């Protein structure tokens, strides 16, 4: 079994591609080979799947949705400026990506508010490098 994120899916044509977490080329996925409803195939969603050799290369079959986005590795709990945390720019980028992946319906204002609160929390705990 492999794990990867759906990076594209064309509903009108019934196919897309999954990017495996362990690297390597994107894997073709066709709606007829997956055993899921097409509405479950949302870009950014993480799936566990088997890989078989198709006519034109690797093909994903037997997809099972994994509970959302891959978990980010938490930053080490070090003192501020100790080199063990994230830079503020890295933190901002990662939080934005996670929020968009977790809830694409969030507005820009909601994302900014949540991101500011999480950044303040991270700074209070010394998780961000200066």
């Amino acid at each position: 079994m492999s794990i990867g994120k759906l990076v594209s899916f064309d509903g009108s044509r019934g196919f897309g591609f999954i990017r495996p977490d362990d690297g390597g080329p994107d894997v073709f996925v066709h709606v007829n080979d997956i055993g899921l409803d097409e509405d479950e195939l949302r870009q950014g969603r993480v799936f566990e799947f088997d890989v078989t050799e198709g006519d034109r290369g690797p093909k994903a079959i037997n997809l099972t949705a994994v509970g959302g986005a891959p978990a980010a590795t938490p930053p080490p709990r070090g003192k501020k400026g100790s080199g063990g945390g994230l830079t503020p720019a890295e933190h901002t980028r990662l939080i934005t990506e996670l929020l968009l992946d977790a809830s694409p319906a969030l507005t820009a204002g909601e994302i900014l508010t949540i991101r500011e609160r999480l950044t303040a929390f991270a700074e209070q705990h010394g998780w961000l490098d200066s």
Side-chain angles (χ1 to χ4, degrees):
M1 285 293 233
S2 296
I3 294 180
K5 183 185 287 190
L6 187 67
V7 292
S8 67
F9 189 79
D10 182 337
S12 64
R13 297 172 80 188
F15 72 88
F17 293 91
I18 295 176
R19 179 161 297 136
D21 283 354
D22 61 0
D26 290 353
V27 179
F28 178 79
V29 60
H30 193 276
V31 71
N32 293 338
D33 300 322
I34 59 171
L36 295 173
D37 290 334
E38 190 173 325
D39 61 317
E40 294 185 60
L41 298 173
R42 293 188 304 270
Q43 188 170 336
R45 192 160 191 192
V46 177
F47 292 93
E48 187 174 60
F49 56 96
D50 290 315
V51 178
T52 187
E53 196 59 35
D55 295 338
R56 297 183 180 174
K59 180 169 74 167
I61 58 172
N62 303 324
L63 270 68
T64 304
V66 176
T73 304
R77 293 181 180 212
K79 298 269 187 218
K80 189 182 256 187
S82 68
L86 297 170
T87 67
E90 290 169 327
H91 180 266
T92 297
R93 182 184 58 78
L94 289 171
I95 292 298
T96 302
E97 288 176 14
L98 288 170
L99 289 171
L100 288 170
D101 188 56
S103 184
L106 285 172
T107 67
E110 291 168 331
I111 289 172
L112 290 172
T113 300
I114 294 167
R115 195 171 67 190
E116 287 171 8
R117 298 273 311 267
L118 289 170
T119 300
F121 183 81
E123 286 174 342
Q124 289 172 351
H125 286 82
W127 296 343
L128 299 180
D129 286 340
S130 358

